[in-house]
Amino acid sequence: MNEPTTIQDRINTSYAGLSDKLQIAAKFAAKNPVDIATRSLRSVAASTGVSPATFSRLARALGYADYEQMRQDGRETVERKMAPFSERAHALRLATSEQGSSTVLHRQATACISNIENLHNNIDPDRLNAAVQCLHDARTVLLIGAMGSAGIIDYFGYMAQWFKGNWKTVGRNGTELSPSLSRLGSDDVVFALAKAPYARRTIAALKTAREAGATTVVITDSRTSPALQFSNHSFVVSTESPQFFSSYAATLVLMETIISLLLARAGSEAEGAIRAAEVQINQLGENWIP
């Protein structure tokens, strides 16, 4: 079993079990990695209203030997994450040119496996079932994902539409999104995928959905994500990767799990819908036949 690899991963894994004071320190550490990496312990503590000893206890609660080890981890995380995509791509290209393809594959696979194990070990089944039930009961479900999340949301919607006719992907442009949001009510659900860098359109859509009384389900990558303040049901999923962009591997596992649970709830009616879709696809000649 792989251990969490960054401060953010460790906080995501341990947050619910921390005391109130440790949660205050953890929120600060997650939201201000540069401060953790560059400022003294006394200075960081003064900014939060909790004692330096609280941050030292947080470090040990997260599995570090002491605060200095957590701080060093923070420095490495900042160096890796704060750089623009272009700089990360440059570093990746140089590193990859010095490694064999098997090494590159191993590093990528190891990161993805760690993310998936974190998801598997820390997902709350009751929270997952509650979110799935909302999606099952909804009058309509709007799917929103922009920038790097757009294609992943398209795939999620494609799977659901085999047996859910009331799901619609709307986040790609404002022309389609605005009228869809204007029709939301308390029987509707907005499902959003929000990964850093966070798309302004996604956060604004979640805010509008909550104001309209709709239920919101969010998958994001950090407990400091701006999407969480507008979520009824939320899942923080690790995205660590040696790539220049975030990994969606664990997110896909969660989405495919949600589809499986929805299918089980829909029962034989879903099977009939899928069978009818298959017949229509054959009639249209969409599949290549050798």
Side-chain angles (χ1 to χ4, degrees), residues 237-284:
V237 180
S238 296
T239 61
E240 288 302 311
S241 171
Q243 252 285 0
F244 71 92
F245 203 74
S246 299
S247 170
Y248 283 83
T251 297
L252 285 170
V253 170
L254 178 56
M255 286 180 159
E256 290 171 354
T257 300
I258 289 172
I259 293 296
S260 296
L261 294 172
L262 283 169
L263 181 64
R265 279 169 169 75
S268 59
E269 182 179 341
E271 295 176 22
I274 294 171
R275 192 175 299 112
E278 289 175 328
V279 170
Q280 188 63 56
I281 288 171
N282 289 333
Q283 289 177 348
L284 293 174

Side-chain angles (χ1 to χ4, degrees), residues 166-203:
N166 60 336
W167 286 43
K168 184 179 182 182
T169 304
V170 297
R172 283 190 175 272
N173 60 76
T175 302
E176 184 180 29
L177 179 60
S178 296
S180 297
L181 291 174
S182 70
R183 293 189 288 268
L184 286 176
S186 59
D187 295 332
D188 302 311
V189 172
V190 170
F191 184 105
L193 179 57
K195 307 283 181 148
Y198 305 106
R200 183 182 299 275
R201 176 181 294 132
T202 300
I203 307 306

Side-chain angles (χ1 to χ4, degrees), residues 7-8 11-12 25-33 36 222-224:
I7 292 178
Q8 185 64 66
I11 290 173
N12 290 345
K27 285 181 180 179
F28 182 89
K31 193 171 184 179
N32 302 278
I36 295 296
S222 169
R223 291 194 180 277
T224 61

Side-chain angles (χ1 to χ4, degrees), residues 84-96 244:
F85 288 157
S86 57
E87 291 185 14
R88 282 184 256 172
H90 176 70
L92 176 65
R93 181 177 63 81
L94 294 180
T96 300
F244 71 92

Side-chain angles (χ1 to χ4, degrees), residues 1-36:
M1 181 185 301
N2 293 329
E3 295 296 325
T5 56
T6 67
I7 292 178
Q8 185 64 66
D9 282 339
R10 292 169 188 254
I11 290 173
N12 290 345
T13 299
S14 306
Y15 185 83
L18 299 177
S19 67
D20 290 345
K21 285 189 176 181
L22 290 183
Q23 284 188 354
I24 292 172
K27 285 181 180 179
F28 182 89
K31 193 171 184 179
N32 302 278
V34 174
D35 293 75
I36 295 296

